[in-house]
Structure formats: C-alpha cells, structure tokens
Amino acid sequence: MSIRINPSVLNCDFMRIGEELDRIADADRAHIDVMDNHFVPNLTFGPSMVEQMARRSPIPLDAHLMITDADRHAVAFAEAGAESVTFHLEAAQAPVRLARELRKAGAQVGVALRPATPVEPLLDILGEFDMVLVMTVEPGFGGQSFLDSMLPKIRRVREAISAANLELSVQVDGGIKRETIGRAAEAGADVFVAGSAVYSVDDAAAEIAALRRLAAEHSH
C-alpha cells in the first residue's frame, strides 16, 4: 500500500490560503473540508472557493463533503476541479448513482462514514468507489482527539476490500498525528488526513515526512 498524507486546510490561516497551500506542497493532496452548517455544525467553502484553490494549489485537491443532499451538490465540486470527491454515505439517497456521476465528471470517488455509521451497508457496493473514509472523530471541527474505538472499523473495511479482491484506499480523518498515525496504519489505513499536526508546526514539510515515515513503518 502506498502511504499518502493529505493535510487538511481547515487548520490553516484562511487569510493567506495561497501560501498555506504552498506550505504543504510535499504532501499528496490538500484535504478540503466542505461543511454546510446542516450536516455538521460548521460552515466552510462552496464550489467557487474550491475552484479558486484548485487553480492555485501546487498539489491536487481531495474534497470531503460534509453536506446534506450530496446527490444534488457533490458533482459541482468535481466540476470545480477537485481530483477526488468524498461524500457521506449518510447524506446520499443514491450512492451508486452519485459515485458514477462523479466519475463521469472526472473525479475519483470516496465514501465517508461517521463514527456511529456501520460498515455493513457499504460492503456490497465497495466496487463503486476508489476510497472509503473512516472518520476517526465526529466531523465538524479540527483539533479533536483520535477515537481508538474506530480501529476495529478500519480493520473491517480493509478486510472487506481484500476479501472482495478490490483496490481501494482507506482514508482516516480526525486526530491524526505522530502519536496516532501508526495505530491507524496498522489497522489498514493508507491515506491520512492531518490538520493541526501539520499546520501547528513551523516546518510543515518535515512534519509531513515524519508522518509518512511513521505510517510506512506500521503498514502491512
């Protein structure tokens, strides 16, 4: 499994978003948390802001849509230039159709699960996706602590992907830092969203490198 580090811009200085994107140029993708103040109690970016970031960013965008009515709004983020678009299973009426629409719009497709959402409804449709995002905090705000109770879920997702003989990434988002990334990698994650861990240090590139190394040491 190739390890990918996708820093979340949720923890950056929004007044200097261009330079903040440049700080993470060594990462694999910039993780863009899209929140609508309905699905989660926070409000961030719409498609036009994502489009501006896609034009400016030195690395591709990984858009995580924490929005209700994903069926109606998700494709706009693919059209805005996000390389990968992840919607929440809880927010989609027709996840298979939406996955195919996103792919037609040129994006890779991820599906996300909140901590309390079981893996089982996904198992028969795993082949429609490029990535499963297991939330390791309740979505909505940066800086929360990693939920170790999600490790068995990461393991179940990875085992289901292997059993179906599929090639999917398993992304984790929430509380990822040097102290927790090894446990998530050991459980089967290979894409790691780190927000405050990267943006709270002076040398973001060194932190990205350290996280990548620790994840690689623990991955199978």
Side-chain angles (χ1 to χ4, degrees), residues 5 7 22-27 178 197-199 201-214:
I5 307 292
D22 290 340
R23 279 182 71 199
I24 59 167
D26 290 356
R178 292 190 194 204
V198 170
Y199 275 110
V201 296
D202 291 334
D203 191 341
E207 195 60 31
I208 290 163
L211 291 169
R212 195 176 267 129
R213 189 181 63 248
L214 285 164

Side-chain angles (χ1 to χ4, degrees), residues 94 149 196:
S149 53
S196 41

Side-chain angles (χ1 to χ4, degrees), residues 105-181:
Q108 290 179 15
V109 186
V111 60
L113 303 170
R114 294 178 97 136
T117 303
V119 169
E120 284 66 30
L122 260 190
L123 298 186
D124 295 330
I125 56 170
L126 274 174
E128 299 289 339
F129 305 100
D130 300 293
M131 180 170 77
V132 177
L133 165 52
V134 177
M135 290 300 299
T136 43
V137 297
E138 280 295 346
F141 292 93
Q144 299 184 64
S145 296
F146 181 86
L147 294 172
D148 276 283
S149 53
M150 292 299 106
L151 292 170
K153 188 182 197 174
I154 297 165
R155 232 171 251 118
R156 280 202 302 280
V157 172
R158 179 52 72 198
E159 284 162 5
I161 291 166
S162 300
N165 209 14
L166 294 166
E167 294 273 322
L168 270 80
S169 303
V170 178
Q171 186 179 61
V172 284
D173 179 1
I176 296 296
K177 53 186 178 178
R178 292 190 194 204
E179 295 75 17
T180 56
I181 196 165

Side-chain angles (χ1 to χ4, degrees), residues 6-7 25 32 44 54 58-59 75 91 95 104-105 109 124 141 162-163 201 220:
N6 297 8
I32 311 298
T44 57
I59 52 176
V75 174
K104 209 188 300 177
V109 186
D124 295 330
F141 292 93
S162 300
V201 296
H220 302 292

Side-chain angles (χ1 to χ4, degrees), residues 63-129:
H64 173 200
L65 310 184
M66 289 165 267
I67 60 173
T68 47
D69 205 0
D71 303 79
R72 207 166 99 215
H73 300 297
V75 174
F77 291 90
E79 291 166 348
E83 184 177 78
S84 171
V85 176
T86 299
F87 61 86
H88 270 264
L89 187 64
E90 306 91 352
Q93 298 298 313
V96 172
R97 187 178 67 208
L98 180 54
R100 292 177 180 182
E101 285 173 358
L102 284 165
R103 197 161 274 129
K104 209 188 300 177
Q108 290 179 15
V109 186
V111 60
L113 303 170
R114 294 178 97 136
T117 303
V119 169
E120 284 66 30
L122 260 190
L123 298 186
D124 295 330
I125 56 170
L126 274 174
E128 299 289 339
F129 305 100

